[in-house]
Amino acid sequence: GDISGKGIYACLYSLSVRSILRSYGEIYDDLGEIINRTNDLFCKDTGDSGVFATAFLLLFDKGSDKIQFSNCGHFPALLRKKDGSIEKLTTEGMALGAVPLTEVAIGSAQLEEGECLLLFTDGVVEAHDQHMKMFGEERLIEMFSLKTDKKAQAILEEIRDEVFAFAAGCEQHDD
């Protein structure tokens, strides 16, 4: 996820949303219920401050390897299939804290052995180089699709290193 704004207040709101999600996640099994209740409480916390949070939220069922997900104004998750093809997982959805929600769109996917799921924020795709060219979602997808023989931690480290190398020496506008 990502919180609007920067600095200490954004960090505090971020921790607030995370704590609310975790708390409701302990009480409810229904992703829509968790999101609705989180949004209602977060809206009370943010009031008319204009602060909102984008998030890609999912529940993973270890027994069936099935996920339920909802995209609350964030980037889609990327599911790399065994053959290296990439499927974008997303739903329609509003950022948390923006307005009370009337409904929450929920998607689902069955994960198969050998597949890999990547969640990311704008700090990855909007990282820019000295010419103000962004790293971009297309470059991220291409990199991710080629890493079929890697473990999750290695993929994460290689993507992070590639983004850092791309943006080396450039002041970034986002945190």
Side-chain angles (χ1 to χ4, degrees):
D2 194 17
I3 294 287
S4 60
K6 300 194 182 338
I8 295 296
Y9 89 93
C11 180
L12 293 175
Y13 277 120
S14 175
L15 291 172
S16 172
V17 171
R18 184 181 74 173
S19 294
I20 296 168
L21 283 165
R22 285 182 174 178
S23 295
Y24 284 132
E26 290 292 322
I27 299 169
Y28 301 102
D29 292 330
D30 179 79
L31 184 58
E33 185 78 15
I34 295 167
I35 292 170
N36 264 321
R37 289 185 179 266
T38 297
N39 186 67
D40 287 347
L41 189 54
F42 191 53
C43 280
K44 289 178 184 175
D45 285 350
T46 59
D48 60 359
S49 68
V51 173
F52 60 90
T54 64
F56 185 93
L57 304 168
L58 68 83
L59 290 178
F60 174 67
D61 182 337
K62 289 181 185 178
S64 67
D65 290 340
K66 186 174 181 178
I67 59 170
Q68 292 182 6
F69 57 86
S70 186
N71 191 340
C72 301
H74 200 65
F75 288 95
L78 303 176
L79 176 62
R80 191 194 63 230
K81 302 295 212 170
K82 288 185 223 179
D83 65 2
S85 65
I86 303 293
E87 179 181 343
K88 289 184 180 183
L89 303 181
T90 194
T91 63
E92 293 292 320
M94 178 68 71
L96 300 171
V99 296
L101 300 174
T102 55
E103 63 182 79
V104 176
I106 305 292
S108 64
Q110 180 66 48
L111 300 180
E112 304 292 334
E113 187 174 336
E115 294 181 335
C116 189
L117 187 63
L118 178 66
L119 290 85
F120 60 96
T121 66
D122 61 342
V124 173
V125 294
E126 293 175 4
H128 61 272
D129 66 9
Q130 61 196 12
H131 304 292
M132 297 304 288
K133 182 178 178 184
M134 288 192 199
F135 189 81
E137 189 175 0
E138 194 173 303
R139 183 188 315 249
L140 177 63
I141 290 171
E142 183 179 335
M143 284 182 60
F144 185 48
S145 70
L146 298 174
K147 299 190 180 305
T148 56
D149 62 338
K150 306 276 184 176
K151 299 271 187 203
Q153 187 63 39
I155 293 169
L156 177 65
E157 290 170 4
E158 287 181 20
I159 289 173
R160 182 200 59 215
D161 292 349
E162 186 73 23
V163 171
F164 285 173
F166 177 83
C170 300
E171 185 175 334
Q172 300 300 306
H173 300 286
D174 201 357
D175 49 0

